[in-house]
Amino acid sequence: MRVLQWNMQITERNASTIASARLELLSEALQQLQPDFVFLQEADSRARRMLDVGYECAEGPKRIVTLWRKGQYVSQGSWEATQRAQLTLLDPSFLLLNVHLPVLHCSKPKQRSAGGHIREELILARGQHAGRREVHGGDYNMPPHDELLVMDSGFYANRCLEYALKSGIDISKKRLFNCSWKVYGGDCGALGTYYSGDCEDGPWNVPDQIFLDPQIVGNGIVEVRVITTVAEHSLMKRTGTPGGRGSDHFPLFVSVGDATS
């Protein structure tokens, strides 16, 4: 399984000048990486053109867009969980959550409140569509160690796969595996997906994160890459930080392979 997460930094103010170029980068990234699922924030409705490279698309609130491979997965519905999240049901038996929490610089209580409302909707979806494997992606605008992400009162997304695999039957306390911790090791292509000297964990940050149902991973090998080049196009400024032709966020890519391969 392959998953791509990217805040594309397309806004109402700049869409007329940069959307086409960013969407072309997205198209090239899809052809290069071949992800099964794609989570986009600050995207553009023209992302539907990704049908041409083999993807279906569902648009959510606040420029959230979710893509999946055409023919391999079939949509069973997509809806706005809150104004900052989109839930999508796919056959065979997947539940996708795409999240864009308030910006890094806003108050922690505001971020955690928004995340708490999303969690409530997620738990409802789990109850109504039991047994589905979950894949979450998003710009959480907080580090992987924030209490909203790691505690059982939040998303319960842990860096320890062994711990996540011990999840119980309580759907409100379903454990997830947060692959994004691996970026901190410095071997994933960059030291983070976002760069800002104003952030408390800065200057490199990992607000872009991917959570996997531990049953998807099992004994497989998880590889995490921060994407700094697409085809021949660099997504970096001369300083080595995100920007230039790309967004102010680097895309995050996760693949799960067979341990025996």
Side-chain angles (χ1 to χ4, degrees):
M1 175 177 290
R2 300 178 177 187
V3 184
L4 180 67
Q5 152 60 30
W6 192 20
N7 180 323
M8 298 183 70
Q9 198 193 7
I10 301 173
T11 66
E12 292 182 5
R13 292 182 178 181
N14 66 22
S16 62
T17 56
I18 71 164
S20 293
R22 292 275 164 83
L23 289 169
E24 183 60 33
L25 282 174
L26 174 62
S27 177
E28 292 178 337
L30 296 183
Q31 294 177 71
Q32 175 180 313
L33 300 170
Q34 295 290 305
D36 293 278
F37 308 125
V38 183
F39 300 94
L40 304 174
Q41 303 81 41
E42 295 186 15
D44 187 90
S45 61
R46 284 169 287 181
R48 286 189 175 276
R49 70 175 63 169
M50 297 307 119
L51 291 168
D52 297 335
V53 291
Y55 286 83
E56 301 281 1
C57 169
E59 297 174 38
K62 289 187 177 293
R63 295 183 176 268
I64 290 174
V65 177
T66 304
L67 306 175
W68 58 91
R69 291 178 67 86
K70 183 170 28 176
Q72 188 168 347
Y73 305 96
V74 178
S75 173
Q76 296 181 312
S78 182
W79 66 98
E80 180 178 314
T82 71
Q83 291 186 346
R84 292 198 169 268
Q86 177 190 39
L87 283 160
T88 301
L89 295 175
L90 297 180
D91 185 36
S93 198
F94 278 94
L95 175 62
L96 309 185
L97 176 65
N98 192 338
V99 173
H100 191 190
L101 289 184
V103 297
L104 277 165
H105 310 290
C106 84
S107 69
K108 288 293 185 183
K110 182 177 180 180
Q111 287 181 312
R112 291 169 182 158
S113 175
H117 293 310
I118 294 169
R119 177 180 178 271
E120 291 171 2
E121 293 299 317
L122 173 63
I123 292 170
L124 285 175
R126 286 172 176 166
Q128 295 168 356
H129 308 280
R132 289 179 178 261
R133 292 167 289 175
E134 294 182 24
V135 182
H136 301 193
D139 177 1
Y140 288 84
N141 271 317
M142 57 177 55
H145 56 76
D146 190 89
E147 65 183 58
L148 172 69
L149 305 186
V150 299
M151 295 184 69
D152 62 5
S153 57
F155 289 100
Y156 217 0
N158 199 274
R159 61 178 166 176
C160 178
L161 177 60
E162 183 179 2
Y163 181 78
L165 281 165
K166 296 177 181 178
S167 187
I169 60 173
D170 185 344
I171 60 173
S172 70
K173 296 183 178 180
K174 178 181 175 66
R175 299 178 187 178
L176 299 167
F177 176 54
N178 187 349
C179 313
S180 315
W181 280 92
K182 289 179 177 285
V183 177
Y184 285 123
D187 298 321
C188 297
L191 295 173
T193 61
Y194 182 77
Y195 187 93
S196 172
D198 297 331
C199 298
E200 60 183 272
D201 289 339
W204 281 104
N205 291 267
V206 189
D208 301 275
Q209 298 175 47
I210 293 171
F211 307 161
L212 297 179
D213 193 312
Q215 300 302 324
I216 293 173
V217 182
N219 294 319
I221 303 298
V222 178
E223 295 186 2
V224 179
R225 289 167 53 198
V226 178
I227 305 301
T228 60
T229 303
V230 172
E232 74 278 13
H233 307 299
S234 174
L235 305 183
M236 295 186 288
K237 299 177 183 178
R238 292 182 179 179
T239 56
T241 58
R245 185 183 177 95
S247 162
D248 59 351
H249 291 244
F250 286 140
L252 183 68
F253 179 67
V254 169
S255 62
V256 181
D258 191 335
T260 62
S261 60

